Amino acid sequence: MNLNDLTDVSAWLTQDRIDAAIMVAVNVVAALVILLVAMAISAWAKRRIVALSQRYKRLDDTLFGFLGNMVKYLILAIGVIFILNRFGIHTTSLAALVGAAGLAIGLALQGTLSNLAAGVMIILFRPFRQGDFIAAGSESGTVTEIQLFYTVLTTYDGIQIIVPNSDIWSSAITNFSANPTRMMDLTIGVAYDADLKKTQEVLENISLSDPRALPEPAPVIRVKQLGDSSVDFTFRVWAKTEDFWGLQAEYTRKIKVEFDANDIGIPFPTRTLEVVQVPKIETRSVTRESGAA
């Protein structure tokens, strides 16, 4: 490097360019500081929100995990806006550009976004929780996982079903686990020649024989209707939701055993075939002769 080169460099390094370089360096350092601070605050806020669900068992983990992510990305977005403003970029024009791009992406991913919207509604309004047995649309099973785009169900025979959230949210949802108690409603048919008073007593004794049956509301056992081949009794007993299926199976077994022990007949469909003999019809064969004219 000779004297002329040094003269050219000194001529190029004007005070304005030095100030501009210092300003850029300061902005880069400030942007890095803002980004690090935003990342630290967002991570801390997410941990605090998720910790609430772990501290209180009645709070749902999925909901607070979703809220923690929302707060995290919101803080990061605010940090990005501060960084852009630091470099003199107008966020209003950027917001318009992002909005136009978002509209195009939304039209292209309409089905996916509908699942996302349904997932947000499911997580916010909580029509069911993880571990509930539900029926929605044409599917039913135990909820094992709730994601933003889909819900995972496990059927009673161990099959995993992944259902889009839009299919669940757009249909009626039956939650069999929402209430702590359920009513077992059985229809018991006995023969017309059965002693109705004795049948009533046997069913009442059965309803009180299992400790899983709740005393309140009290069991209801009444004659329901006179059927085509049986007198039908209504047998209604309340139980805890977790005891429902086991108690129903046990009561069905006990009813059959006690009816047999007390000679109470249970009608079953019968079919009578009547054979009618059709008289034989005598037939004669006729032979026709034909000749040439």
Side-chain angles (χ1 to χ4, degrees), residues 164-186:
N165 285 331
S166 59
D167 293 347
I168 295 178
W169 190 252
S170 61
S171 62
I173 301 173
T174 302
N175 191 339
F176 296 93
S177 305
N179 298 325
T181 60
R182 287 183 60 184
M183 184 186 71
M184 180 177 57
D185 189 1
L186 299 177

Side-chain angles (χ1 to χ4, degrees), residues 267-282:
F268 51 88
T270 59
R271 178 177 295 178
T272 302
L273 298 179
E274 183 177 354
V275 179
V276 179
Q277 187 175 2
V278 181
K280 294 182 179 180
I281 300 176
E282 295 183 0

